[in-house]
Amino acid sequence: MRASQFFIATLKEAPSDAEIVSHQLMLRAGLIRRLAGGIYTWMPMGLRVLRKVETIVREEMNRAGGIELLMPAVQPFELWEESGRGPQYGPELLRFKDRHQRDFVIGPTHEEVITDIVRREVKSYRQLPRNFYQIQTKFRDEIRPRFGVMRGREFLMKDGYSFHTSFADLEREYRSMHDAYTRIFTRLGLKFRAVAADTGSIGGTGSHEFHVLADSGEDAIAFCPTSDYAANVELAEAVTPQKIGAGETAAIEKCEKKATPGKTKCADVADFLNAPLTQTVKAVAVMAGSAREIGQFVLLLLRGDHELNEIKAQKLIGEFRFARDEEIVAALGCKPGYIGPVGFNGRIIADRAVAVMNNFICGANAEGYHLTGANFSRDLPLPAEIADIRNVVAGDPSPDGKGTLELCRGIEVGHIFQLRTKYAEALKCTFLDEQGKEQIMEMGCYGIGVSRIIGAAIEQGHDERGIVFPAGIAPFAVVIVPMAYGKSTMVKTAADALYAELLAAGIDVVLDDRDERPGSMFADWELIGVPHRVVVGERGLKDGKLEYKGRSDVDATLVAADEITGFLQQKLCA
């Protein structure tokens, strides 16, 4: 590719509404342009990156036995009514009517469509298992699209679906897809983690997310650096602590009611009473049941330095909401900020860390007062329900017993699920087994955010000059920058010859033959993130040398002109 025949649309400044680094740099590098909120045109430079990601995903899916198809973006709403997901998806599901007033949706995902295809086409166990996938544009009507391609409304996704005669075979394919995803993200040149995750609205029994590690990531990940354990914080298990600090080993204290005027937060109470925060217990009041119901008043007990994990709590008590002030007063006779479990005869769920505490500090159910030296058995019964209801923190024991946990941030770019029979049952997707008996198919689901990967890669790889792309997905592998290409016959001849030589060697190269200043050309290609640059100049040519500089190198290197192709091939294979 010659730059003069391509379209380069770099900007010196990013638009003011670009909030995060990847959004800013994708706009500045001319990879994308905004059409509407959360909807972007992929410009020629960005499309080259997108296609390279697509190619790697497609090659590894094919290698793993996936069969590619392409389903319609427009889906009849009746399929979503049949699966029961129409109301569940809510306003993110973009609905419209055709000229005959029939209801349709723009597909945010394709579980219903692929299940409809399979129930029509597959009848016998002899036709199973099957793994179908597509790479296709999706649309989800996000209430607040932001961060460019990271949380857009329209996006490119690889979604795959497998169908099986048994759960055991689904588990086999799930492991195969886990391995395929690991190969994909490794080939993409990304630092990533596969983490156990909640299945969310998709449903099913098993789930893993694949996260690109980046400080700007929206998701918190807990992992053990000395083992393979990793999980989304919302799912990571907080094991029962063996040691909890001073309160555990001290002699049992007298329970006393102490004035704590204006101190409604555990940290303020601990500071006021000159006690460690780990010795405090906070009571979180919730109402079990839907927002439309009155519900049951429940106290959730957490150590003062821990935070409630709402997903874990929901799995215990079902749908819930936080209690209103008047509901708290009615149940405990006290306003929020001073409530506690002592004297409360209703349902209490204690976190594991709370259940092993002695001499703890908690609300006294009297405004302006807390109890010190509270103990289970003596001052209140040990709750019948003890469970893991908190977020893990750095330093917690790893659930696999092989070290302690650390926390990092991640950007979710892939998700695999064991759907089991959720959709197959709803849509009556069955097969005849060896005895001729009708059985429900087992299903798996495997998604990759193809366009999101590019934003995540930039969040992980950038510097003050621009994007630092992994070599496998950069728009070009090598850029040739000739000095005075239009003025020096020596430079033009050498640059053209090198360009032809690299193309013949199968190297993805661009020759910047534009009539631009060298500084401007250097700035453009550093902003765009091309990993390897070769400068052709008269001074170097007279000595038989070319100047090479890697995108992240501090200094340039002089390389013999007749050795540059082999030199670049070694760099590209490294």
Side-chain angles (χ1 to χ4, degrees), residues 193-211:
R193 276 268 185 175
V195 303
D198 187 71
T199 56
S201 63
I202 297 292
T205 57
S207 168
H208 280 82
E209 294 172 349
F210 288 76
H211 286 262

Side-chain angles (χ1 to χ4, degrees), residues 60-119:
E60 290 300 335
M61 285 301 298
N62 292 345
R63 176 182 168 188
I67 304 168
E68 187 172 8
L69 46 59
L70 185 61
M71 292 177 273
V74 174
Q75 307 175 15
F77 184 66
E78 63 192 44
L79 276 179
W80 287 73
E81 290 180 307
E82 195 175 349
S83 72
R85 274 210 303 177
Q88 182 184 22
Y89 231 92
E92 279 191 16
L93 187 64
L94 184 63
R95 296 178 58 177
F96 66 95
K97 292 181 182 291
D98 69 3
R99 66 175 65 196
H100 304 293
Q101 297 303 300
R102 291 176 299 209
D103 289 320
F104 287 87
V105 303
I106 303 293
T109 183
H110 277 68
E111 282 83 5
E112 284 80 3
V113 176
I114 192 66
T115 306
D116 180 62
I117 291 169
V118 172
R119 72 178 173 179

Side-chain angles (χ1 to χ4, degrees), residues 172-296:
R172 174 201 56 75
E173 187 68 6
Y174 187 85
R175 290 190 296 270
S176 174
M177 286 294 100
H178 190 289
D179 292 344
Y181 274 41
T182 299
R183 292 194 301 271
I184 286 168
F185 294 115
T186 300
R187 283 186 60 188
L188 289 169
L190 301 171
K191 297 176 183 176
F192 69 96
R193 276 268 185 175
V195 303
D198 187 71
T199 56
S201 63
I202 297 292
T205 57
S207 168
H208 280 82
E209 294 172 349
F210 288 76
H211 286 262
V212 170
L213 305 183
D215 292 338
S216 58
E218 291 186 280
D219 295 297
I221 299 167
F223 70 97
C224 179
T226 55
S227 75
D228 292 332
Y229 179 83
N232 195 302
V233 163
E234 66 190 18
L235 193 68
E237 181 186 4
V239 301
T240 303
Q242 298 302 309
K243 253 181 111 173
I244 58 158
E248 181 187 6
T249 55
I252 297 300
E253 298 174 358
K254 180 181 179 182
C255 185
E256 296 183 289
K257 183 177 178 180
K258 294 188 178 180
T260 52
K263 310 301 179 186
T264 59
K265 297 187 180 300
C266 285
D268 295 334
V269 173
D271 187 59
F272 183 77
L273 296 175
N274 196 28
L277 182 59
T278 54
Q279 204 172 330
T280 64
V281 169
K282 58 184 170 188
V284 179
V286 301
M287 302 296 291
S290 72
R292 299 175 299 278
E293 302 170 344
I294 296 175
Q296 177 192 27

